[in-house]
């Protein structure tokens, strides 16, 4: 077989604009997911049984079920339950944020627990309260473990966000499919979309790696 | 003044401290010795409630530390602790390690705190390391900074948990010298140590712990010359 990129050249800008949509999904999801994840982590570390139970259950459910199922549940379930006709964009951001919150909370928890326990004890022994020690002593040190992992989670989100095309959002994948259907050419548009995903992932991986090196240098 | 009554600590089913009774008057220097695993660290950590006692009471200057409503952060300000593994804040410079708690907890101005920190660093011989991060220091230097950090809160009591056990042999002396210089200056000191000569020189009193029990409580001259118990005799034969 031969590849015929010539016929889709005019459509390439259209496909590439989908990269912006994809990035928007990944970026917003990780942004909201971060605050949700932080909240869940605080609940896990709070020492309050009910809070910890809730946060653990939340994390377990969202990590233990397919993202696609979560997406359908929200996209189709919310209109049925509430009568509110949720847009694909809202459903996508909501699902991905709720989902990444679960992953981010595990990232933050692991980052906090990787900080030597002696740091907290030293702070407490000086008369520093537990929350203040968390804020001033533990979190600043945990950031070093957390940031690179967060970029990796953004990479996951970026790839997973291709799911959004199944509910009609015009992201990278969906646009490639539209061109494919128009031109009766399947391989070429999908190759371009795949290559675009890969370039985005490479850029983010590069950022993660350099972040890690920079942060490691500070100790 | 520290007053411990009927203190016990149980981890799961393992009784680590058994009915400890003890008073340490203000300004006294006490060395705690005993075999590894005998409960020395646990005893020390019960004195600032880093470890929660299972039973019994601890009073610090008349304040019941073991009370449920005890303002722990306030009592702990008056009790410094020096750890075997230093635990300097690794993301802060030496100076920031020293001024952090005085500024945040005691409410000193930055300027006051820095003046005080410089004096303390001078005292432990590390004025030139002020702007260095802990990872750039030797073990002995780290421990001296840790002592200075504890002193920056102007504690009435200082707890040392094997302050020289993690050090290379050539650095032990510099740390012991700093500790010696603090002894009998009014600060009450409880020092867990395996340095027998140091204990003998610096302490007013030796506590010998074995299997969670306070087996002996004696003046150093007496303890090291004529320990009363078989367990202390056996221990001293091994370490001396
Ligand atoms: N957090 C803990 N959980 C369970 N067991 C512990 C804990 N801390 C100490 N222990 C046990 O208590 C005993 C006494 O420990 P420790 O006070 O550290 O002894 P020492 O300082 O005299 O070597 C040891 O057997 C140790 O394993
Ligand atoms: Mg110990």
């Amino acid at each position: 077989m031969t590849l015929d990129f010539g016929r889709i050249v005019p459509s390439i800008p259209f496909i590439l604009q989908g990269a912006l949509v994809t990035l928007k999904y990944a970026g917003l999801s990780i942004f909201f997911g971060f605050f949700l994840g932080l909240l869940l982590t605080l609940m896990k570390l709070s020492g309050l049984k009910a809070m910890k139970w809730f946060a653990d259950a939340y994390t377990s459910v969202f990590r233990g079920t397919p993202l696609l199922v979560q997406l359908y549940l929200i996209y189709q379930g919310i209109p049925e339950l509430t009568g509110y006709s949720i847009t694909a964009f809202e459903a996508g951001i909501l699902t991905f944020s709720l989902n990444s919150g679960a992953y981010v909370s595990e990232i933050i928890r692991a980052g906090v627990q990787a900080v030597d326990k002696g740091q907290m004890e030293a702070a407490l022994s000086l008369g520093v309260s537990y929350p203040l020690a968390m804020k001033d002593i533990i979190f600043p040190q945990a950031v070093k473990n957390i940031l690179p992992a967060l970029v990796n989670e953004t990479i996951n989100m970026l790839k997973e966000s291709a799911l959004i095309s199944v509910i009609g959002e015009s992201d990278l994948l969906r646009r490639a499919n539209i061109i494919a259907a128009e031109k009766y050419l399947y391989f070429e548009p999908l190759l371009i979309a795949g290559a675009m995903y890969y370039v985005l992932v490479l850029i983010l991986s590069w950022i993660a790696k350099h972040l890690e090196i920079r942060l490691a240098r500070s100790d | 003044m520290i007053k411990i009554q009927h203190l016990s600590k149980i981890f799961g089913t393992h009784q680590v401290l058994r009915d400890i009774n003890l008073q340490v008057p203000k300004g006294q220097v006490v060395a705690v010795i005993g075999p590894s695993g005998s409960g020395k660290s646990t005893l020390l950590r019960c004195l600032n409630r880093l470890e929660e006692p299972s039973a019994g009471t601890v009073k610090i200057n008349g304040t019941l530390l073991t009370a449920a409503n005890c303002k722990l952060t306030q009592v702990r300000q008056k009790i410094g602790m020096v750890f075997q593994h230093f635990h300097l804040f690794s993301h802060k410079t030496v100076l920031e390690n020293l001024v952090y708690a005085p500024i945040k907890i005691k409410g000193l101005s930055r300027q006051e705190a820095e003046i005080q920190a410089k004096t303390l660093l001078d005292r432990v011989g590390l004025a030139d390391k002020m702007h260095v991060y802990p990872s750039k220091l030797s073990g002995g230097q780290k421990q001296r900074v840790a002592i200075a950090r504890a002193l920056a809160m102007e504690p009435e009591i200082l707890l040392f948990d094997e302050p020289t056990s993690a050090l290379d042999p050539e650095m032990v002396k510099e740390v012991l010298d700093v500790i010696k210089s603090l002894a009998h200056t009014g600060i009450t000191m409880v020092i867990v140590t395996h340095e027998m000569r140091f204990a003998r020189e610096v302490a007013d009193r030796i506590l010998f712990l074995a299997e969670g029990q306070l087996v002996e409580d004696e003046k150093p001259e007496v303890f090291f010359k004529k320990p009363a118990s078989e367990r202390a005799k056996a221990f001293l034969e091994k370490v001396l």
Side-chain angles (χ1 to χ4, degrees):
Chain A
M1 85 174 250
T2 51
L3 290 177
D4 184 1
F5 282 100
R7 278 174 55 206
I8 62 158
V9 164
S11 313
I12 287 178
F14 174 75
I15 298 177
L16 292 190
Q17 273 169 27
L20 291 179
V21 178
T22 291
L23 274 177
K24 192 167 72 183
Y25 270 95
L28 283 176
S29 305
I30 210 75
F31 178 79
F32 293 126
F34 176 77
F35 289 103
L36 180 59
L38 195 60
L39 185 70
L40 287 167
T41 309
L42 292 176
M43 290 168 89
K44 285 175 191 174
L45 299 174
S46 69
L48 297 173
K49 279 242 163 61
M51 294 256 212
K52 181 174 174 352
W53 182 89
F54 173 82
D56 283 343
Y58 180 97
T59 307
S60 171
V61 167
F62 273 90
R63 295 207 307 173
T65 55
L67 186 52
L68 187 56
V69 173
Q70 295 166 18
L71 183 62
Y72 274 134
L73 271 175
I74 285 178
Y75 187 53
Q76 293 165 346
I78 283 186
E80 203 174 296
L81 284 177
T82 65
Y84 175 72
S85 72
I86 192 166
T87 65
F89 177 76
E90 289 164 350
I93 294 294
L94 185 60
T95 311
F96 294 164
S97 301
L98 292 176
N99 181 272
S100 77
Y103 284 91
V104 169
S105 78
E106 279 304 288
I107 289 171
I108 300 178
R109 193 191 53 80
V112 164
Q113 285 182 346
V115 176
D116 178 19
K117 177 164 131 297
Q119 296 285 308
M120 176 55 87
E121 294 193 340
L124 292 179
S125 77
L126 289 166
V128 181
S129 69
Y130 182 87
L132 192 62
M134 267 291 166
K135 176 177 146 286
D136 288 345
I137 306 298
I138 306 301
F139 275 125
Q141 295 186 58
V143 163
K144 201 164 49 198
N145 316 322
I146 290 171
L147 270 187
L150 271 186
V151 181
N152 284 328
E153 173 58 13
T154 310
I155 290 174
N156 280 335
M157 217 61 244
L158 188 100
K159 290 188 290 181
E160 300 273 27
S161 74
L163 285 177
I164 198 68
S165 61
V166 304
I167 60 172
E169 184 65 277
S170 56
D171 70 331
L172 250 180
L173 178 61
R174 169 104 177 142
R175 284 167 189 249
N177 273 326
I178 290 172
I179 301 304
E182 267 176 16
K183 309 260 160 116
Y184 300 104
L185 269 179
Y186 290 92
F187 208 46
E188 293 83 351
L190 284 171
L191 263 187
I192 288 174
M196 198 59 218
Y197 277 114
Y198 189 55
V199 167
L200 292 176
V201 167
L202 282 184
I203 293 172
L204 284 174
S205 304
W206 184 86
I207 293 174
K209 205 178 106 198
H210 279 257
L211 213 55
E212 219 160 333
I213 295 170
R214 278 277 306 254
L215 292 168
R217 203 183 302 151
S218 72
D219 37 52
Chain B
M1 160 97 161
I2 306 170
K3 186 169 182 179
I4 304 171
Q5 283 182 308
H6 303 298
L7 176 70
S8 293
K9 175 67 190 182
I10 302 170
F11 285 115
T13 56
H14 180 189
Q15 181 146 18
V16 174
L17 292 177
R18 297 162 191 270
D19 194 29
I20 306 282
N21 292 282
L22 177 68
Q23 279 195 38
V24 183
K26 180 177 181 322
Q28 197 172 60
V29 178
V30 178
V32 182
I33 66 177
S36 161
S38 56
K40 303 179 299 294
S41 297
T42 308
L43 172 63
L44 210 60
R45 292 160 57 83
C46 282
L47 298 185
N48 62 358
R49 251 178 82 183
L50 280 184
E51 213 67 78
E52 209 54 62
S54 306
T57 57
V58 176
K59 269 189 186 167
I60 305 288
N61 295 336
T63 308
L64 187 58
L65 182 76
T66 41
N69 63 354
C70 174
K71 291 205 171 57
L72 265 188
T73 52
Q74 262 171 35
V75 185
R76 281 175 178 157
Q77 286 178 44
K78 292 283 144 218
I79 311 175
M81 189 166 209
V82 175
F83 301 85
Q84 181 175 354
H85 295 285
F86 332 122
H87 301 327
L88 293 179
F89 303 136
S90 52
H91 62 308
K92 290 181 184 290
T93 62
V94 165
L95 183 66
E96 290 304 317
N97 263 275
L98 262 67
V99 300
Y100 170 69
I103 292 175
K104 281 285 172 102
I105 309 301
K106 274 174 85 179
L108 258 59
S109 74
R110 171 158 281 274
Q111 198 193 3
E112 288 169 319
E114 284 190 2
I115 290 171
Q116 183 204 38
K118 283 170 195 165
T119 314
L120 286 170
L121 284 174
D122 253 337
R123 198 157 142 195
V124 300
L126 289 170
D128 56 328
K129 300 290 182 192
M130 202 146 62
H131 299 296
V132 163
Y133 281 91
S135 59
K136 294 277 184 293
L137 300 175
S138 72
Q141 292 171 331
K142 282 183 197 169
Q143 196 59 298
R144 284 185 280 154
V145 172
I147 294 170
R149 177 177 68 178
L151 289 173
M153 289 301 282
E154 303 181 299
E156 290 165 19
I157 299 170
L158 264 181
L159 310 173
F160 295 85
D161 192 359
E162 300 196 26
T164 60
S165 293
L167 299 180
D168 291 334
E170 74 270 20
M171 292 170 185
V172 169
K173 185 171 178 296
E174 67 191 48
V175 171
L176 292 184
D177 284 347
V178 168
I179 299 175
K180 271 186 206 162
S181 76
L182 299 171
H184 306 111
T185 58
I187 305 184
T188 310
M189 291 166 60
V190 183
I191 310 169
V192 174
T193 184
H194 287 299
E195 301 284 336
M196 294 304 144
R197 256 188 53 193
F198 166 74
R200 189 173 189 158
E201 276 173 40
V202 79
D204 301 311
R205 185 174 169 192
I206 306 286
L207 304 181
F208 176 71
L209 228 62
E211 291 163 41
Q213 278 175 314
L214 184 50
V215 177
E216 299 206 26
D217 178 353
E218 255 311 343
K219 288 198 167 64
E221 312 85 88
V222 180
F223 178 80
F224 285 106
K225 234 185 243 145
K226 260 184 85 187
S229 66
E230 284 307 315
R231 279 191 283 195
K233 260 179 220 158
F235 175 75
L236 285 178
E237 268 165 30
K238 259 186 231 157
V239 298
L240 286 181

